[in-house]
Amino acid sequence: AALTDRSVLAEFVDKSIAAKTIDSVFEYWVNSLLSGPKTHIVNTVSNSYTAALVPAEYSAAARIGKIFGPMGKDVVEPGEALAQYYGQLMAFKEATKNFGHAFATGEKSAWGVSKVDWQRIPAISSTNWNIRADSNFAKAVDALGAVVTVPGRALGAEDEFFKTIAYRASLHQQAYR
C-alpha cells in the first residue's frame, strides 16, 4: 500500500542511487559541454556587443523620434542612451563583485535565471551522496564536484556580470526618463 502513494514513490526514486548517479553524470556532462574556451568567449563577446549596442539603439530611436515625431505614448528621450552608458560605467564595480560572488559560490542574483540553472544541491557532492561531511572521502568528493562545476560557475558568473551592467543601465535610463 505504501508504494501506491505517489509521494512515497517519488521520495524513494529521488533518494535512490540510480537517481544520484544520473544527476552526477548529467552534471558532469553539462559542465563538460561548457568547458571549452569558445563557449565563454562567445558568451562574453556577445554580451559585450549587446551592452554596447542597446544604448546606441535608444540613441537612434530618439533621433528618429525627433525627425518623425512621437508615434505613441512611449517616447525615447535624447539623453536616455547617455544615461544607459553612464549606468553601465557606474555598475562596473558592482558587476565585478557579483561576478566573483557567483563564481565562488555558484549562487545567482535575485533577478532572473541563468543559463545553467538546475538543482540546488550539486550532484557531485558529499551532501547529495549522504557521505559523512568530516571524512576525507567527503572532502575528495566535494573537491571533485568543485572542479567539475567550474565551467558552469564561470558561465553563471559571466551572466551575473552582464545582468548587473544591464540592470544598472536600465535604472539610469528610467531615472533620466
Side-chain angles (χ1 to χ4, degrees):
L3 286 180
T4 59
D5 183 9
R6 288 184 182 182
S7 63
V8 172
L9 186 58
E11 185 178 343
F12 173 76
V13 169
D14 283 345
K15 292 183 178 180
S16 72
I17 290 176
K20 291 176 185 182
T21 302
I22 289 169
D23 288 347
S24 296
V25 169
F26 181 74
E27 184 174 80
Y28 173 80
W29 177 68
V30 167
N31 279 283
S32 68
L33 291 175
L34 302 174
S35 65
K38 183 178 178 184
T39 301
H40 299 278
I41 290 168
V42 167
N43 186 48
T44 302
V45 169
S46 65
N47 277 313
S48 298
Y49 279 138
T50 300
L53 293 178
V54 165
E57 183 179 309
Y58 274 88
S59 179
R63 289 187 178 122
I64 291 170
K66 276 192 133 195
I67 294 169
F68 294 107
M71 295 182 187
K73 64 179 183 174
D74 292 329
V75 178
V76 178
E77 298 295 331
E80 287 184 38
L82 284 176
Q84 285 183 322
Y85 281 127
Y86 181 76
Q88 289 176 350
L89 185 63
M90 294 295 101
F92 193 80
K93 184 177 180 181
E94 180 186 4
T96 303
K97 178 182 166 195
N98 288 349
F99 174 91
H101 178 76
F103 184 75
T105 65
E107 295 174 4
K108 61 181 193 250
S109 66
W111 56 72
V113 296
S114 65
K115 289 181 178 86
V116 185
D117 198 21
W118 62 84
Q119 70 253 16
R120 302 245 185 246
I121 298 173
I124 305 172
S125 70
S126 59
T127 304
N128 186 49
W129 285 92
N130 298 324
I131 302 170
R132 199 178 78 235
D134 61 345
S135 70
N136 287 335
F137 185 61
K139 292 173 185 167
V141 169
D142 289 341
L144 176 64
V147 169
V148 165
T149 59
V150 164
R153 286 185 292 123
L155 193 64
E158 293 159 17
D159 287 345
E160 287 303 310
F161 180 87
F162 288 105
K163 280 193 280 185
T164 303
I165 297 287
Y167 177 72
R168 294 298 174 196
S170 178
L171 283 182
H172 278 75
Q173 173 202 5
Q174 291 172 38
Y176 181 87
R177 186 179 280 190

